[in-house]
């Protein structure tokens, strides 16, 4: 799949689909003009006179647990005990429950589209979605075809004779939207964010990170991976003995790629995400892979150059082109062709892939039902189109207006924080305020929808339809190269339960699906809304000033706008946050496994900054409504309800294998720690719950982290 050079900074790990189930996916961005003036200037309270009696079930609180010792347990322990993880999931929590609600709504939409596809307007998104979903749900036809749809590609691999054949195969597959070994796509130029350039990035591994290929503790997973490779090959008629040999070759090949790959923590270093070169300079890094030929085949014109983002990886790729036996290349390409196609082939292929990526790697007991898997393919292929149908059913103008008010209020609180922070110089503050002034909030859904003209979806051709969408989306994405950056494009579908900040466009983005309970109540009290969606808004806004976001200016350019003294102050303060999260060991049965405080730093900064500014915004709203400020609901003050709401959105239970995997790859800390990490640094929390120095939820003195 194509990945952006700089991944949007998400609120939470993706809840939609399992790791490594990518294959062919819709590209990240979609046009969505939404002018900055959409957020109203008036900073009004969000409380409604017609609010319900309660939007927080206080009976869920475990009053036997001291809130000052274990706030997550106090808020969430009873709910977690009463809500076990479904068998077809690796985790279950507030995000997941809301995502399930979104999936059920989407299910109704695609099911209706499939039933009415023949009568729909020819070429409409309803017809295309209907035919795609219809084809995926026709498991009998998919099973009858077996792996027939893949045979032409396997024959191409069998015909490879020399390194130049391999290079041409890779180039040709890219042109079909089928990316091999590395990833390529468009993105804003780090040095001139107004223009889109090409980005080539490391990729090509079947295991999550470099460590899975080299660390002794993952030997069992490597053995299971070899078994998966061999079984994948056997399903296409390769003999058992030959399949085992090829599996050894694939693992050895990928190990060399892995050793030249950067870790997730290293990839957070912006210097490892951008390496601008001319085509001639790139050819010197990969003398056996001609980039001019590659770009010509993609139909892309490269002017001054592109980002060969991780040169060490591409040098190893070229070395393997020159030195690896053709048979080893064939084994590697053959396996990945099968593995990536497996979700769209017969049941045997689907089950084989799930057995490794679902059961072995993530600990998921049961595969998702067919409708969810096919819906996943629809989202990956035509997610923005499905979003167009989703918002017409689910998101009201009133909800959007109320959310816009919250965005305005929280952003104003962030501005005030920047103006009054005591460790930053006036010169840097001025630059920070300039960046704040250029934030572009985007709420709910695009104002203008992407066109799907030219995408041909046929009846009864599931694999062919998915591949057609992959090519269509890839060509749409790389068609941005050389063109002006459109800040109004969305990098997330409206039906996604998440939110993100994009530093290259300086936009904060809140899809419709997250603007629902328990995050957002259009008629809810201020405390619940500011502790929920208000903190989400603050989180995404704070990303503009986290360890990565602070390196971009208001126009999206990577620029050094900090004084040396301010940078030193920032790093000293964020270093304390690294230490705080490094100390957490969230898995009871594996006390030696700790959170990676450096990998999760950006998200932890955003949580701390976001919760602080949301709290400030709540206080501003309550000043305008003194009666509400003094009101207790279900026995809890407004300040208490604010923190209760924050912790509630992080209620979560995760299977141990998935939790360990997240510790290795996810830039977000475990949800249970996000519930307590930021509040423990806030005197307002200690005051709200009358906590004392020495309580677990009170970090004071040198241990207390203060950034924004």
């Amino acid at each position: 799949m194509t990945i952006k050079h700089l991944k949007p900074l998400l609120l939470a790990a993706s809840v939609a689909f399992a790791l490594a189930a990518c294959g062919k996916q819709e590209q990240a961005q979609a046009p969505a003009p939404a002018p900055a003036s959409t957020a109203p200037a008036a900073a009004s309270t969000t409380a409604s006179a017609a609010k319900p009696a309660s939007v927080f079930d206080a009976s869920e609180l475990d009053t036997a647990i001291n809130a000052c010792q274990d706030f997550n347990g106090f808020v969430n322990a009873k709910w977690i005990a009463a809500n076990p993880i479904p068998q077809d999931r690796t985790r279950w929590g507030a995000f997941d429950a809301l995502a399930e609600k979104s999936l059920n709504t989407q299910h109704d939409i695609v099911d209706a589209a499939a039933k009415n596809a023949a009568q729909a307007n020819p070429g409409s998104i309803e017809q295309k979605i209907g035919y795609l979903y219809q084809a995926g749900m026709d498991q009998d036809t998919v099973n009858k075809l077996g792996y027939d749809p893949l045979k032409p590609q396997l024959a191409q691999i069998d015909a490879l004779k020399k390194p130049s054949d391999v290079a041409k195969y890779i180039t040709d597959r890219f042109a079909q939207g089928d990316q091999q070994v590395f990833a390529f796509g468009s993105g804003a130029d780090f040095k001139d964010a107004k223009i889109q350039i090409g980005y080539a990035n490391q990729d090509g591994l079947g295991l999550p990170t470099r460590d899975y290929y080299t660390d002794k503790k993952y030997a069992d997973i490597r053995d299971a991976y070899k078994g998966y490779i061999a079984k994948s090959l056997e399903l296409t008629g390769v003999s058992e003995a030959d399949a085992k040999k090829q599996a050894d070759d694939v693992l050895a090949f990928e190990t060399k790629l892995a050793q030249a790959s950067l870790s997730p923590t290293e990839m957070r270093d912006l210097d490892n995400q951008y390496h601008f070169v001319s085509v001639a300079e790139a050819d010197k890094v990969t003398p056996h892979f001609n980039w001019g030929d590659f770009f010509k085949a993609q139909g892309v014109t490269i002017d001054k150059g592109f980002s060969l983002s991780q040169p060490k990886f591409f040098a190893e790729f070229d070395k393997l082109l020159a030195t690896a036996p053709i048979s080893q290349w064939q084994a590697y390409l053959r396996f990945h062709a099968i593995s990536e196609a497996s979700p769209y082939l017969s049941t045997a292929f689907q089950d084989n892939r799930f057995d490794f990526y679902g059961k072995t790697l993530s600990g998921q007991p049961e595969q998702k039902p067919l409708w969810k898997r096919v819906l996943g393919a629809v989202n990956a292929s035509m997610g923005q189109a499905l979003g167009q149908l989703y918002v017409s059913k689910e998101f009201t103008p009133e909800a959007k207006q109320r959310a816009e008010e919250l965005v305005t209020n929280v952003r104003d609180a962030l501005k005030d924080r920047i103006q009054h922070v005591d460790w930053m110089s006036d010169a840097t503050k001025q630059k920070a305020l300039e960046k704040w002034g250029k934030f572009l909030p985007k709420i709910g859904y695009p104002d203008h929808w992407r066109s799907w003209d030219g995408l041909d979806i046929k009846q009864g051709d599931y694999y062919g339809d998915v591949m057609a969408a992959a090519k269509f989306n890839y060509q749409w994405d790389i068609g941005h190269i050389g063109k002006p950056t459109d800040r109004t494009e969305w990098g997330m579908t409206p039906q996604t339960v998440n939110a993100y900040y994009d530093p290259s466009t300086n936009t904060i983005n809140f899809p419709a699906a997250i603007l629902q309970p328990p995050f957002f109540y259009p008629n809810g009290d201020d405390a619940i809304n500011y502790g929920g969606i208000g903190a989400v808004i603050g989180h995404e806004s704070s990303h503009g000033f986290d360890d990565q976001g602070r390196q971009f200016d208001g126009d999206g350019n990577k620029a050094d706008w900090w004084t040396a003294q301010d940078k030193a102050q920032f790093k000293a303060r964020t270093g304390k946050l690294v230490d705080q999260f490094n100390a957490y060991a969230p898995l009871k049965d594996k006390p030696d496994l700790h959170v990676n405080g450096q990998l999760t730093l950006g998200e932890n900064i955003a949580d701390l900054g976001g919760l602080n500014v949301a709290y400030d915004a709540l206080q501003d709203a309550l000043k305008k409504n003194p009666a509400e400020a003094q009101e207790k609901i279900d026995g809890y003050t407004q300040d208490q309800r604010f923190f209760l709401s924050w912790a509630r959105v992080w209620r979560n239970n995760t299977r141990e294998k998935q939790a360990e995997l997240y510790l290795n790859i996810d830039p977000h800390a475990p949800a249970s720690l996000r519930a307590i990490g930021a509040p423990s640094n806030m005197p307002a929390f200690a005051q709200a719950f009358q906590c004392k120095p020495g309580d677990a939820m009170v970090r004071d003195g040198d241990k207390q982290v203060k950034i924004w």
Side-chain angles (χ1 to χ4, degrees):
M1 57 180 275
T2 296
I3 60 173
K4 288 293 178 180
H5 69 286
L6 184 63
K7 294 182 180 179
L9 300 168
L10 310 180
L11 173 68
S14 173
V15 297
F17 307 105
L19 173 82
C22 48
K24 328 299 177 195
Q25 297 199 8
E26 180 185 350
Q27 305 313 310
Q29 303 290 324
S37 60
T38 53
S44 61
T45 179
T46 61
S48 168
K51 66 190 177 189
S54 176
V55 294
F56 189 100
D57 186 356
S59 70
E60 292 180 345
L61 301 175
D62 191 340
T63 55
I65 297 175
N66 187 331
C68 296
Q69 298 299 332
D70 178 10
F71 191 57
N72 180 61
F74 174 71
V75 178
N76 296 324
K78 285 176 66 175
W79 186 93
I80 290 172
N83 291 271
I85 304 172
Q87 292 293 96
D88 68 343
R89 286 182 174 267
T90 59
R91 70 184 195 191
W92 189 248
F95 278 87
D96 308 275
L98 187 52
E100 188 78 4
K101 178 178 180 292
S102 176
L103 285 178
N104 286 328
T105 299
Q106 294 171 56
H107 186 199
D108 292 341
I109 293 170
V110 296
D111 193 51
K115 291 176 180 176
N116 300 314
Q119 290 76 42
N121 291 331
S124 64
I125 59 172
E126 290 87 351
Q127 185 177 73
K128 291 176 182 180
I129 288 172
Y131 282 154
L132 177 57
Y133 184 74
Q134 195 180 83
M137 291 300 294
D138 185 3
Q139 193 65 33
D140 287 343
T141 297
V142 172
N143 283 336
K144 287 177 183 177
L145 290 171
Y147 73 98
D148 284 355
L150 195 61
K151 285 180 178 178
Q153 186 177 348
L154 295 178
Q156 290 177 333
I157 295 169
D158 289 342
L160 301 176
K161 302 296 183 185
K162 53 187 182 296
S164 59
D165 293 342
V166 174
K168 187 176 186 307
Y169 169 84
I170 291 171
T171 293
D172 290 345
R173 291 309 304 176
F174 262 92
Q176 297 301 312
D178 182 17
Q179 306 208 15
Q180 306 283 326
V181 189
F182 61 92
F184 181 71
S186 67
D189 189 341
F190 271 24
K191 293 183 178 180
D192 183 7
K194 294 179 181 179
I195 296 295
Q196 295 279 298
I197 64 169
Y199 282 82
N201 284 284
Q202 67 181 39
D203 203 1
L205 303 180
L207 293 177
T209 70
R210 179 177 62 202
D211 289 348
Y212 282 81
Y213 292 89
T214 57
D215 197 312
K216 291 181 180 179
K217 66 183 177 183
Y218 298 121
D220 289 346
I221 288 179
R222 286 194 292 275
D223 287 342
Y225 184 49
K226 284 200 295 184
Y228 167 61
I229 296 169
K231 179 67 177 296
S232 299
L233 294 166
E234 288 177 48
L235 288 173
T236 62
V238 177
S239 69
E240 181 179 354
D242 192 16
K244 287 181 178 179
K245 179 183 181 304
Q246 289 190 50
D248 288 336
D249 281 347
V250 172
L251 184 62
F253 185 94
E254 288 190 18
T255 299
K256 291 179 180 178
L257 280 182
Q259 289 170 332
S261 299
L262 300 177
S263 70
T265 302
E266 291 169 328
M267 284 292 286
R268 290 198 74 250
D269 185 340
L270 297 179
D271 289 338
N272 291 327
Q273 297 186 23
Y274 179 87
H275 181 71
F276 193 84
V277 295
S278 67
V279 174
E281 289 169 334
D283 284 343
K284 291 179 181 178
V285 178
T286 61
H288 300 91
F289 187 83
N290 188 288
W291 288 97
D293 291 346
F294 175 80
F295 293 129
K296 183 178 180 180
Q298 312 313 305
V300 170
T301 299
I302 300 297
D303 185 13
K304 295 179 181 178
F306 70 106
S307 177
L308 192 69
S309 301
Q310 298 84 34
K312 180 182 176 182
F313 173 87
F314 285 96
E316 182 62 26
F317 159 58
D318 188 77
K319 180 181 177 182
L320 289 169
L321 271 176
T323 63
I326 292 298
S327 61
Q328 188 174 31
W329 267 106
Q330 288 174 314
Y332 169 79
L333 296 171
R334 186 179 294 119
F335 159 66
H336 278 279
I338 298 166
S339 182
E340 292 176 16
S342 288
Y344 321 111
L345 302 178
S346 63
T347 300
F349 289 89
Q350 296 176 29
D351 290 348
N352 180 48
R353 184 178 173 94
F354 171 74
D355 284 344
F356 177 71
Y357 285 114
K359 288 183 180 178
T360 300
L361 199 57
S362 301
Q364 183 175 323
E366 295 179 3
Q367 191 163 199
K368 292 181 184 297
L370 181 62
W371 72 264
K372 286 186 180 180
R373 296 178 347 242
V374 177
L375 179 55
V378 174
N379 268 296
S381 299
M382 296 186 66
Q384 292 287 352
L386 178 55
Q388 189 172 346
L389 305 181
Y390 173 87
V391 296
S392 67
K393 182 174 183 179
E394 282 291 300
F395 195 60
T396 67
E398 292 78 14
K400 183 169 184 175
Q401 180 180 2
R402 190 73 71 180
E404 287 171 345
E405 293 176 8
L406 275 160
V407 169
T408 297
N409 296 351
V410 173
R411 287 187 64 239
D412 285 347
L414 174 60
K415 180 181 181 181
D416 187 69
R417 280 260 167 180
I418 294 171
Q419 289 172 324
H420 293 95
V421 67
D422 60 7
W423 54 267
M424 180 178 278
S425 69
D426 289 341
T428 305
K429 280 184 184 179
Q430 184 59 39
K431 294 290 186 182
L433 291 170
E434 288 176 10
K435 179 170 185 176
W436 174 91
K438 293 181 178 180
F439 271 166
L440 174 61
K442 296 185 292 188
I443 299 168
Y445 53 89
D447 288 345
H448 301 283
W449 297 96
R450 175 184 166 189
S451 172
W452 296 89
D453 292 345
L455 173 59
D456 186 18
I457 299 295
K458 300 177 181 178
Q459 288 182 271
D461 186 9
Y462 189 38
Y463 178 80
D465 288 343
V466 169
M467 286 301 301
K471 181 177 180 180
F472 181 83
N473 287 314
Y474 173 66
Q475 292 296 330
W476 178 83
D477 176 45
I478 63 175
H480 289 64
I481 294 173
K483 296 179 181 177
T485 296
D486 184 355
R487 296 181 71 207
T488 64
E489 287 187 356
W490 278 66
M492 192 173 278
T493 66
Q495 63 271 29
T496 301
V497 181
N498 218 322
Y500 73 97
Y501 170 74
D502 184 350
S504 67
T505 56
N506 197 26
T507 59
I508 48 176
N509 307 261
F510 308 100
I514 201 172
L515 298 172
Q516 300 181 72
F519 296 91
F520 174 59
Y521 297 82
N523 297 317
D525 60 285
D526 282 325
I528 292 298
N529 273 331
Y530 279 103
I533 197 64
V536 171
I537 296 163
H539 173 101
E540 300 307 338
S541 301
S542 295
H543 266 312
F545 306 99
D546 70 12
D547 61 316
Q548 284 188 325
R550 74 166 191 86
Q551 298 183 59
F552 292 84
D553 64 20
D555 295 316
N557 300 307
K558 187 175 182 295
D560 188 358
W561 49 271
W562 292 62
T563 67
Q565 182 178 355
D566 291 337
K567 280 191 286 188
Q569 285 269 19
F570 180 84
K571 289 181 179 179
R573 291 166 184 271
T574 58
K576 288 184 180 181
L577 201 57
V578 172
D579 292 341
Q580 175 182 341
F581 279 83
N582 277 342
Y584 291 132
L587 302 184
K588 292 181 180 179
D589 295 335
K590 296 186 177 181
D592 294 334
L593 285 180
H594 287 250
V595 176
N596 184 334
Q598 194 63 50
L599 176 62
T600 59
L601 178 58
E603 299 301 326
N604 297 332
I605 293 172
D607 278 354
L608 180 57
L611 195 60
N612 270 295
V613 298
Y615 180 80
D616 290 352
L618 171 63
Q619 304 313 307
D620 290 341
L622 293 177
K623 287 177 184 177
K624 296 176 176 64
N625 192 344
E628 184 182 12
Q630 300 303 316
E631 183 181 7
K632 282 189 176 182
I633 302 177
D634 298 325
Y636 291 92
T637 68
Q638 291 292 299
D639 279 12
Q640 288 173 330
R641 284 171 66 78
F642 170 83
F643 289 108
L644 293 173
S645 181
W646 165 259
R648 178 176 62 169
V649 303
W650 297 114
R651 58 178 39 159
N652 180 276
N653 193 16
T654 304
R655 300 188 191 279
E656 186 173 275
K657 285 186 176 181
Q658 182 69 74
E660 182 174 353
L661 180 60
Y662 281 152
L663 287 178
N664 292 325
I665 67 171
D666 191 1
H668 305 82
S672 61
L673 301 179
R674 298 182 73 176
I676 65 173
S680 70
N681 286 298
M682 295 175 62
F685 173 84
Q687 183 176 353
F689 288 91
Q690 300 180 345
C691 302
K692 301 175 181 178
D695 287 341
M697 283 297 299
V698 178
R699 300 176 62 85
D700 52 15
D702 289 341
K703 291 184 178 180
Q704 187 179 98
V705 184
K706 299 178 182 178
I707 305 172
W708 298 110

